[in-house]
Amino acid sequence: MEKQETLLAVKDLHTHFETERGRVQAVNGVSFELKRGERLAVVGESGSGKSAMAMSLLQLLSYPGKVVAGSVKLEGHDLLQMSERQLNEVRGGAIGTVFQDPMTSLDPVMTVEDQLVYTMRRHMKMDRKPATQRAVELLGMVGIPDPEVRVKNYPYELSGGMRQRVLIAMALSCNPKLILADEPTTALDVTIQAQIIGLLKDLSVKTGCAMLFITHDLGLVARFAQKVAVMYAGKIVEYGTVQEIFANPQHPYTQSLLNTIPRADGLKRKRLLQIEGFPPDMRLPIQGCSFKDRCPAATALCGKETPALTSRSDTHSAACLVEGGMMKGAVSVLQDEEACITVEHAPRIPKSAEPVLEIKSLKKHFETSSFFKKKRVVRAVDGIDISLLPGETLGVVGESGCGKSTMARLLLRLEEPSDGNIFVDGVDIAHLKGDELYAYRSKVQMVFQDPYSSFNPKITIRQIIGEPLNVRKIGTAEEREKRICELILTVGLDTAYLDRYPGQLSGGQRQRIGIARALALSPSIIVADEPTSALDVSVRAQVINLLVDLREKLGISIVFISHDLSVVRHISDNIVVMYLGKVVEFGPAAEVFSKPKHPYTKALLLAAPLPDPGLEENREIELLKGELPSPANPPKGCRFSTRCPIAADRCREELPELDPAGGSRKVACFFAS
C-alpha cells in the first residue's frame, strides 16, 4: 500500500491571550500531522483549546489572541510566516472552513449564488457564467433540492440544515486540500446531523480532501473520524486511530470522557459516570500533570512530573505516567460496573397511579399574514394526547418544527391553546386567567436550554434563586434565605456560590442554578427544553444525574425535550415522538428504542450516532429524504408520507390515528404491525 503524503504538519504550536487578568495559555505545545484524504477529529471539553488551535492554523484569532511559537506547514509552506495577503489566498482556496453557526458565516444581504460565485471568482479567477453553473452543481452535490431555485435564495430563506450545506458547498467550491470544520453539527437535528456527517465523509473519499473535525460529540467521532486527538488544558493528551481510542483508551481523561456517555449496547446505567472538578486555570503555571486534580488514578509523581506524549503502539500515543491510566491504575473508573448497569426494565411507577398531567386533543394554530401574502394558518400543535405520571420522566423527541417547544410553552401557559384540554392534578388549566393562572404557574416550572440568557447578569446567584420567592412574597426574609441555601445545596453547589454573578460560573454550574430556581416554588412538574444540548459530555452527565436524583428524591415529574436520543433514552420512562404537530409514537422508552414501530421513529434512531466505531462501521443507514414540510401547508393524509420509504396510496389520502399497538404502545401508522 502506497504511503500517504503529509499534507499538514503542526509542530509545537503555542497560542496566548493577553488579558487584564493575566496571560491565558490556550494552546500549549500542540503537534500533529494530517495526511492527504485523512479525517482527524479533535475532542475535549470547552476550554481545552480545540477552537483556539484551529483558529491559530489560519491566523484567524481575534484580539488579544496571538500565536507565539511553533510552525504550521501546509505542503511544506509555513502559514505562520505568510503575510495577510498570502493567507487570504490560502483561506477559502487551499483550506475551506465550515463553522458552527452558518448564519454568522453567511452574508445575510447576498444571495447564495453571489456568495458562491464571489468565492470562485476570487480564488479561481472564473468568469461569472461558469462560476454560476458551478454554484448550482455544488448545491446539488451537497444534497440541496432544486439547486437552480435555491441558488437565488438569501440565507434567511433556507433551513438550518440547508444553510450548513451551503457553507460546505462554499468550502468545496475552490477544490481545497483541507477542510476545517469547527462544531458544524452542534445545533442541528439528529437527521440533518447524520446527513451533514455522511456528506462530509463521502466528499472526503470522492475528492481526496483531508478534514480536521472539531467536536464534543463522541458518537459523531465514531461515525466520521479515522484518527482522534484528545485535547486537555491546551495540549494533546492522547492520539490514535478511532478504533484504538474507543477500544483501548490509555489516558484517564479519555477514559473518563468515554464513560460519561450513555451506553450504546441496550443496557442502562443507573447513573452516568461524571468527571469531578473543573479544568485548570490556564493563567497559572501548571505543576505536573494538568489532569491530576480530577484523576482518581493520580500518584505523587503526577504532581511533580509533566507527562510527555509517548508511544503506546505504532499509531497510538498518550501523555500519562500511570500505565493504562485508570484501567490498570490505583483506581478503576469501571470498578463498580456491575452496580452501575441494569437491564432495561418496566417503569418504576405503579400502573394504578393517577396522572399528574393529561393532555387531550391539544391544538395551537398561529395565523400569519402580511401585506403581500395571504393569511396562513401554522398548525404548530395539531391535536396531541399525552399523559404523565407522578415521578415519571417523559422524553419528547422530533426534528425542529415538529411542535416540541410549542407544546412546552402551552404547558407553562405562555401560549393560549387554540383547542383541547390540559389537566394538571385533575384541573383543566387550558384557559385559566388572572389569579387562577398565577397560582397554577407555581406547579409547572421551566429549565431552559441556555441558562445564561434567562438570568439577569447584574444580580447575584442569591437574588436569581430567590426571585420567585420574593415575587410571590413567600415566607419571611430569614425563611427565604434558608430556602435559598437549601436549594443551592440540593443541586450540588456550595453556599459560597450565592454571592457570585452568572458570568463567574461555568456552563454546568449555571444550569444547576437554573434548576435550583425552577425548584424554588416546589413544582410538581419540570419542563426541561434542551437543557443539555450546549454542554460538554462531562457537564451533561452531571446535569442528567442531578435531574435523575431530584426525580427520585422529590418525586417530581419531568418533561424532557431533546434531540439527543441517547440522553433521552437514559433519563426517560416513556417516549413521545412528534412529527409536524402530531404524536406518531408513544410508549415505554426501552420498547420504543429497541423495537420502533413508526417509520419516522426508525429513521431517527438510525440517524443517531453510536459511540462505538465497530457498530458504526457495520451500520446500514438509510437517511430521510427531503425536507420537513411546512406546518402551514402539511401534506394530505399521513404527514410523514412525503418522506416515508413505505408510504402507500392510502397514506397519501388518509390521516392515521394514534392507535394501541400492544401493551402501552401507541402508533399512528397503517403499517405498524
Side-chain angles (χ1 to χ4, degrees), residues 507-569:
Q509 289 170 338
R510 286 197 289 263
Q511 196 60 281
R512 286 171 182 262
I513 297 302
I515 294 171
R517 184 174 65 177
L519 293 172
L521 299 177
S522 302
S524 56
I525 300 172
I526 284 182
V527 180
D529 191 0
E530 298 279 9
T532 62
S533 64
L535 302 177
D536 293 317
V537 288
S538 56
V539 180
R540 181 183 70 181
Q542 295 173 10
V543 173
I544 293 300
N545 285 341
L546 173 61
L547 288 173
V548 171
D549 291 344
L550 292 173
R551 180 186 68 186
E552 301 290 338
K553 181 180 177 181
L554 304 176
I556 292 175
S557 301
I558 301 173
V559 178
F560 190 87
I561 299 170
S562 180
H563 67 262
D564 190 327
L565 299 184
S566 63
V567 171
V568 172
R569 176 176 186 162

Side-chain angles (χ1 to χ4, degrees), residues 571-649:
I571 197 174
S572 302
D573 296 297
N574 286 315
I575 298 288
V576 167
V577 183
M578 291 187 68
Y579 185 81
L580 220 60
K582 292 279 190 181
V583 174
V584 297
E585 187 160 2
F586 172 85
E591 293 181 25
V592 171
F593 277 90
S594 61
K595 295 180 181 179
K597 291 183 175 293
H598 196 281
Y600 180 58
T601 310
K602 294 177 183 178
L604 287 179
L605 294 177
L606 277 175
L610 300 175
D612 187 322
L615 294 176
E616 280 293 342
E617 189 176 4
N618 299 318
R619 289 179 84 193
E620 293 185 8
I621 303 172
E622 187 175 331
L623 298 177
L624 282 178
K625 306 295 182 184
E627 294 288 320
L628 187 74
S630 169
N633 185 28
K636 184 181 178 182
C638 175
R639 296 191 174 179
F640 188 58
S641 60
T642 57
R643 304 169 76 191
C644 182
I646 61 171
D649 291 340

Side-chain angles (χ1 to χ4, degrees), residues 7 36-37 74-75 93-96 174-179 208-211:
L7 174 69
R36 293 185 184 277
L74 182 71
E75 295 184 313
I95 302 179
C174 300
N175 302 319
K177 297 165 185 175
L178 169 66
I179 288 182
C209 177
M211 294 197 180

Side-chain angles (χ1 to χ4, degrees), residues 88-128:
N88 283 335
E89 295 298 320
V90 174
R91 300 168 185 152
I95 302 179
T97 53
V98 183
F99 296 110
Q100 180 173 348
D101 183 4
M103 274 304 281
T104 60
S105 302
L106 296 171
D107 192 324
V109 298
M110 291 176 67
T111 64
V112 170
E113 177 184 342
D114 288 339
Q115 296 185 61
L116 283 167
V117 167
Y118 173 81
T119 303
M120 287 182 280
R121 296 194 72 183
R122 170 73 175 77
H123 290 283
M124 301 180 72
K125 313 303 180 187
M126 294 177 69
D127 292 333
R128 184 168 186 91

Side-chain angles (χ1 to χ4, degrees), residues 49-361:
K50 306 187 303 294
S51 294
M53 181 272 292
M55 294 300 99
S56 299
L57 302 184
L58 287 174
Q59 296 278 58
L60 288 175
L61 289 166
S62 57
Y63 179 82
K66 184 179 181 181
V67 177
V68 297
S71 65
V72 178
K73 292 185 178 180
L74 182 71
E75 295 184 313
H77 302 287
D78 194 346
L79 302 183
L80 301 184
Q81 302 302 318
M82 290 184 178
S83 66
E84 189 67 19
R85 184 173 182 178
Q86 290 172 318
L87 281 170
N88 283 335
E89 295 298 320
V90 174
R91 300 168 185 152
I95 302 179
T97 53
V98 183
F99 296 110
Q100 180 173 348
D101 183 4
M103 274 304 281
T104 60
S105 302
L106 296 171
D107 192 324
V109 298
M110 291 176 67
T111 64
V112 170
E113 177 184 342
D114 288 339
Q115 296 185 61
L116 283 167
V117 167
Y118 173 81
T119 303
M120 287 182 280
R121 296 194 72 183
R122 170 73 175 77
H123 290 283
M124 301 180 72
K125 313 303 180 187
M126 294 177 69
D127 292 333
R128 184 168 186 91
K129 187 173 181 180
T132 302
Q133 293 174 342
R134 169 76 171 156
V136 174
E137 290 172 5
L138 285 166
L139 293 187
M141 184 189 300
V142 298
I144 292 181
D146 302 320
E148 298 85 357
V149 176
R150 292 298 187 181
V151 78
K152 304 291 184 183
N153 289 156
Y154 290 90
Y156 72 87
E157 297 178 289
L158 305 177
S159 67
M162 282 191 181
R163 288 195 290 264
Q164 198 62 283
R165 288 167 184 263
V166 169
L167 267 190
I168 295 172
M170 192 174 296
L172 291 168
S173 61
C174 300
N175 302 319
K177 297 165 185 175
L178 169 66
I179 288 182
L180 194 159
D182 188 0
E183 298 278 10
T185 62
T186 297
L188 301 179
D189 292 315
V190 65
T191 51
I192 304 300
Q193 189 181 74
Q195 293 172 9
I196 297 297
I197 289 298
L199 174 62
L200 287 172
K201 190 173 179 178
D202 290 343
L203 291 172
S204 173
V205 174
K206 291 176 183 177
T207 65
C209 177
M211 294 197 180
L212 184 65
F213 184 77
I214 297 170
T215 183
H216 65 262
D217 191 324
L218 295 171
L220 292 181
V221 172
R223 175 172 290 182
F224 173 81
Q226 294 170 319
K227 290 187 177 178
V228 181
V230 182
M231 286 192 69
Y232 186 79
K235 293 184 176 182
I236 292 177
V237 296
E238 188 159 5
Y239 185 90
T241 65
V242 67
Q243 291 82 8
E244 289 171 321
I245 294 294
F246 278 81
N248 187 30
Q250 294 293 300
H251 196 282
Y253 181 58
T254 311
Q255 293 163 355
S256 300
L257 284 179
L258 291 172
N259 282 286
T260 59
I261 54 181
R263 293 175 67 98
D265 56 7
L267 297 178
K268 181 176 177 178
R269 287 192 178 95
K270 294 176 183 176
R271 289 174 59 81
L272 292 176
L273 294 168
Q274 59 191 56
I275 307 175
E276 302 298 338
F278 304 98
D281 188 341
M282 298 302 289
R283 294 171 298 166
L284 303 174
I286 299 173
Q287 182 70 30
C289 175
S290 57
F291 190 60
K292 63 183 182 299
D293 294 332
R294 306 174 73 189
C295 179
T299 65
L301 184 62
C302 300
K304 301 174 184 177
E305 187 175 329
T306 302
L309 196 64
T310 55
S311 176
R312 305 300 162 97
S313 74
D314 292 341
T315 55
H316 191 183
S317 55
C320 183
L321 300 173
V322 180
E323 184 67 27
M326 290 188 291
M327 303 299 287
K328 300 177 184 177
V331 180
S332 170
V333 77
L334 300 177
Q335 63 178 347
D336 200 22
E337 181 80 354
E338 293 301 320
C340 285
I341 298 171
T342 58
V343 178
E344 299 278 17
H345 56 278
R348 302 162 288 99
I349 297 92
K351 291 185 178 180
S352 59
E354 290 295 322
V356 67
L357 169 69
E358 281 189 287
I359 295 174
K360 295 184 177 180
S361 303

Side-chain angles (χ1 to χ4, degrees), residues 319-435:
C320 183
L321 300 173
V322 180
E323 184 67 27
M326 290 188 291
M327 303 299 287
K328 300 177 184 177
V331 180
S332 170
V333 77
L334 300 177
Q335 63 178 347
D336 200 22
E337 181 80 354
E338 293 301 320
C340 285
I341 298 171
T342 58
V343 178
E344 299 278 17
H345 56 278
R348 302 162 288 99
I349 297 92
K351 291 185 178 180
S352 59
E354 290 295 322
V356 67
L357 169 69
E358 281 189 287
I359 295 174
K360 295 184 177 180
S361 303
L362 185 64
K363 295 182 180 180
K364 180 59 184 178
H365 297 170
F366 297 93
E367 289 190 353
T368 64
S369 61
S370 69
F371 183 79
F372 298 101
K373 295 181 180 180
K374 293 182 179 180
K375 182 182 292 185
R376 300 192 309 165
V377 177
V378 177
R379 297 171 174 82
V381 173
D382 201 26
I384 62 173
D385 297 88
I386 294 172
S387 63
L388 179 67
L389 296 175
E392 184 180 62
T393 299
L394 180 68
V396 185
V397 300
E399 295 170 285
S400 296
C402 71
K404 306 188 300 294
S405 294
T406 301
M407 182 194 72
R409 293 177 65 82
L410 290 169
L411 293 184
L412 293 159
R413 277 303 316 275
L414 299 175
E415 298 283 357
E416 181 84 13
S418 302
D419 197 8
N421 308 97
I422 305 173
F423 293 98
V424 176
D425 294 329
V427 178
D428 188 0
I429 58 89
H431 303 287
L432 292 181
K433 297 185 183 299
D435 292 340

